[in-house]
Amino acid sequence: MAARTRLPLLFSKNLPPFKNQKLAHTEAAVKEPTYPPIVPSLTAKSKSARGRQVEDHVKKICASPVDEKLSLITRIQRKKFVVYPQTFARNADRWYQHFTKTAYIPGLPERFALDPEKRTGVEKEESSLPAGAQTTVPGVEIDAFADIRSLVTRMILQEHWHMKKRKPFLYREQEQMVGPFLRNLVTGLTYSLAKYNPLLPLSSLDIDPQVNFYWRRGQRIIPKGHRRGRQEPTRFQIDDQPHSQIRITQQLPQFTSLEASYAAEVPEVAFAPNLMPLFRRQYDNNIFTGAKLPDPACYGHTQFHLVPDRYHRDRMARQQQSDQVEVFLRANGLASLFAWTGAQAMYQGFWNHEDVTRPFVSQAVITDGQFFSFFCYQLNTVALSVETDANNPRKNLLWGTESLRLYESVQDGAVVGLNDDVVKLLVQFLVNQP
Amino acid sequence: MIRLGNPQLRIFRPNWFLTLVRPGKEQPPDTVQFRIPMEMTKCDVKNYLEKIYNVPVGAVRTRIQFGSNKKRNHLNQKVKQPDYKVAYVQLAQGQTFTFPDIFPEKERMPTEGSMEEMQEKFMEDEKQRQKLDPRRGGVTEWFGL
């Protein structure tokens, strides 16, 4: 009797589970134990453990803010090849193209074309110009261009005619004669073109800045030592000191799309870099655009370079090495611009394993006082080390001109043969804006 | 020797001889490797090649190779291998140079009726006898009924 009275209570408890068959199955599934993911060990003395350490390091770098990223990437010092932008090595531009994965395109991009049809075509699109005004540079009136011409002639005369300079010391000619001229030219041009380029008043003009960049490309097998037989990445460092540079707050627009660079050709050099000749040293790994990280003007606009004093164009022509003249300038432009754009990309947080999402663009002018060469560089990829370069179709692009003469000579207080095209190109370079 | 500061020295019949060598390590195609006497300098090498052999020279780099003094003879005296200077010459005007193959492999055909021919024939017959029956298709002799 007592059991009978208790039965409804027991029965009522068990009722809900037996009504719904589904609940019984899900409860059984939840009770199964789960295991943590199976990954290689972290501290074992094995290749998979080393791989896991590298992966963890990469994830740590990806997850940290930009300044910590830079310090983690440049933390460990090892022997690296020091790449000098101004080098007298033969065929240096082919070697540098291989180190930086850059394709060279002779001539300048379409924006800087010197054809009159293209210029008139661009004029019609410019609504700010009054109808019928003929300009030599789109966006700049002809009076302003005449002003700029007179400014350039004044600078040239100032340095070479009006100022009484003693004969320059040995190998100090560029520093004494051309350096002040270029400085005055750059400051004068930026001031006069400030009203045509809204970025210039907000830009920062550095004189004698430092530009450094550190990257890894390629591998080699260590021939001797306790690490013999193992793969070692080849490290490079560029330490450059351009004469002056302009940094702006916004980025310049790209010259071509990223996909257009897939078809470009980069010369492959199968030999080790020390055959170039290139030498290895170990010191601080620096990545620097010209200003520290929190600076708002973090994107680059134009760099100006002076040619070193031992570079004598006529001496090279006498020794039948005229082709090396252009090679030297191209190598200089390539290395300097790659270092600058690479450092700009690093400042934005892109590095070897996180490739750039938008191309970084910069310009450079290399001169020895009379001859000017113009270079434009588009950085499409920073992923140059072996593991990231395996499936990377992107290439960096360098456009460059041959050296163009600015003026023939200075006689009797007047500049003879001032080349308008060169002045036009200078103005176009400085007016370039997004 | 040509040095900065020395008077201009013209040598019309130099007593120096260059030796073209095959590079031990792989060099770029425009680089030629020479062994030169110790007294020559980079300018000497450049002028030598340009004036005497009409070879357009771009750049010259030299180094001195130390000959080892470690080996000892039967009297336990140290034997010195001589030091020599090596010059790496990069050619101008885009020219290239590859060191030729001086000892190419030759097809050695033994002369008729000689010992070598009989020996070679005998070796070939032996090898033919060692091979298995081609009808078995690579299967060994002991595998079967």
Side-chain angles (χ1 to χ4, degrees), chain A residues 197-329:
Chain A
N197 190 351
L199 283 177
L200 281 181
L202 301 166
S203 67
S204 134
L205 171 71
D206 308 326
I207 306 216
D208 220 5
Q210 279 265 349
V211 173
N212 303 322
F213 191 55
Y214 169 79
W215 79 102
R216 283 181 299 169
R217 171 125 169 109
Q219 262 185 4
R220 68 158 190 154
I221 300 178
I222 306 176
K224 248 182 108 67
H226 67 282
R227 296 178 68 206
R228 182 189 145 124
R230 283 166 237 214
Q231 298 281 354
E232 191 202 24
T234 33
R235 292 164 277 260
F236 298 92
Q237 166 90 31
I238 294 184
D239 296 317
D240 185 26
Q241 259 192 325
H243 174 268
S244 46
Q245 68 182 23
I246 301 175
R247 277 177 298 115
I248 51 177
T249 44
Q250 285 175 40
Q251 198 175 11
L252 285 174
Q254 58 186 27
F255 292 122
T256 54
S257 61
L258 276 178
E259 288 75 30
S261 69
Y262 293 5
E265 277 178 20
V266 175
E268 287 279 329
V269 178
F271 303 101
N274 58 356
L275 292 175
M276 197 195 120
L278 207 59
F279 298 100
R280 283 151 62 98
R281 254 196 300 155
Q282 179 173 325
Y283 58 102
D284 255 343
N285 304 325
N286 293 326
I287 295 180
F288 196 62
T289 54
K292 289 195 182 171
L293 203 58
D295 194 304
C298 48
Y299 296 103
H301 189 264
T302 326
Q303 264 185 350
F304 291 87
H305 289 264
L306 272 185
V307 135
D309 294 289
R310 290 164 199 262
Y311 174 77
H312 301 289
R313 185 178 280 272
D314 36 353
R315 185 158 73 102
M316 281 194 178
R318 260 183 282 137
Q319 289 174 347
Q320 289 99 35
Q321 289 176 18
S322 350
D323 49 336
Q324 295 298 317
V325 167
E326 296 302 320
V327 159
F328 172 88
L329 295 170

Side-chain angles (χ1 to χ4, degrees), chain A residues 90-91 95 271 275 277 320-321, chain B residues 26-28 58 61 92-93:
Chain A
R90 294 188 65 80
N91 296 334
W95 288 91
F271 303 101
L275 292 175
Q320 289 99 35
Q321 289 176 18
Chain B
E26 191 65 36
Q27 295 283 343
R61 301 188 297 274
Q93 287 154 25

Side-chain angles (χ1 to χ4, degrees), chain A residues 92-365:
Chain A
D93 64 338
R94 287 199 74 228
W95 288 91
Y96 285 3
Q97 279 179 17
H98 171 65
F99 297 150
T100 61
K101 205 179 176 188
T102 315
Y104 173 68
I105 303 170
L108 289 176
E110 303 87 30
R111 212 181 296 172
F112 301 117
L114 296 172
D115 308 345
E117 292 106 11
K118 283 211 176 157
R119 269 185 272 121
T120 47
V122 177
E123 270 172 50
K124 284 172 197 151
E125 289 161 17
E126 286 277 350
S127 54
S128 57
L129 288 174
Q134 289 172 17
T135 68
T136 43
V137 175
V140 178
E141 293 103 15
I142 201 163
D143 304 325
F145 189 73
D147 281 338
I148 289 168
R149 260 186 112 233
S150 62
L151 175 85
V152 171
T153 43
R154 256 184 299 141
M155 304 291 188
I156 297 171
L157 287 172
Q158 166 80 9
E159 288 303 320
H160 295 270
W161 181 256
H162 294 301
M163 270 191 70
K164 258 198 189 158
K165 290 197 179 161
R166 57 198 313 185
K167 206 163 157 304
F169 200 65
L170 185 63
Y171 296 135
R172 292 267 206 114
E173 199 186 84
Q174 294 286 329
E175 183 192 320
Q176 282 182 5
M177 312 290 274
V178 185
F181 161 59
L182 194 62
R183 220 181 321 131
N184 293 337
L185 191 71
V186 169
T187 43
L189 277 178
T190 40
Y191 178 72
S192 12
L193 294 171
K195 49 182 179 299
Y196 299 106
N197 190 351
L199 283 177
L200 281 181
L202 301 166
S203 67
S204 134
L205 171 71
D206 308 326
I207 306 216
D208 220 5
Q210 279 265 349
V211 173
N212 303 322
F213 191 55
Y214 169 79
W215 79 102
R216 283 181 299 169
R217 171 125 169 109
Q219 262 185 4
R220 68 158 190 154
I221 300 178
I222 306 176
K224 248 182 108 67
H226 67 282
R227 296 178 68 206
R228 182 189 145 124
R230 283 166 237 214
Q231 298 281 354
E232 191 202 24
T234 33
R235 292 164 277 260
F236 298 92
Q237 166 90 31
I238 294 184
D239 296 317
D240 185 26
Q241 259 192 325
H243 174 268
S244 46
Q245 68 182 23
I246 301 175
R247 277 177 298 115
I248 51 177
T249 44
Q250 285 175 40
Q251 198 175 11
L252 285 174
Q254 58 186 27
F255 292 122
T256 54
S257 61
L258 276 178
E259 288 75 30
S261 69
Y262 293 5
E265 277 178 20
V266 175
E268 287 279 329
V269 178
F271 303 101
N274 58 356
L275 292 175
M276 197 195 120
L278 207 59
F279 298 100
R280 283 151 62 98
R281 254 196 300 155
Q282 179 173 325
Y283 58 102
D284 255 343
N285 304 325
N286 293 326
I287 295 180
F288 196 62
T289 54
K292 289 195 182 171
L293 203 58
D295 194 304
C298 48
Y299 296 103
H301 189 264
T302 326
Q303 264 185 350
F304 291 87
H305 289 264
L306 272 185
V307 135
D309 294 289
R310 290 164 199 262
Y311 174 77
H312 301 289
R313 185 178 280 272
D314 36 353
R315 185 158 73 102
M316 281 194 178
R318 260 183 282 137
Q319 289 174 347
Q320 289 99 35
Q321 289 176 18
S322 350
D323 49 336
Q324 295 298 317
V325 167
E326 296 302 320
V327 159
F328 172 88
L329 295 170
R330 258 182 270 147
N332 191 0
L334 204 154
S336 306
L337 282 173
F338 173 73
W340 205 24
T341 46
Q344 288 167 42
M346 291 281 213
Y347 272 26
Q348 301 306 311
F350 301 111
W351 61 296
N352 205 357
H353 288 261
E354 279 176 348
D355 212 353
V356 289
T357 46
R358 56 187 196 279
F360 282 77
V361 158
S362 286
Q363 301 160 144
V365 178

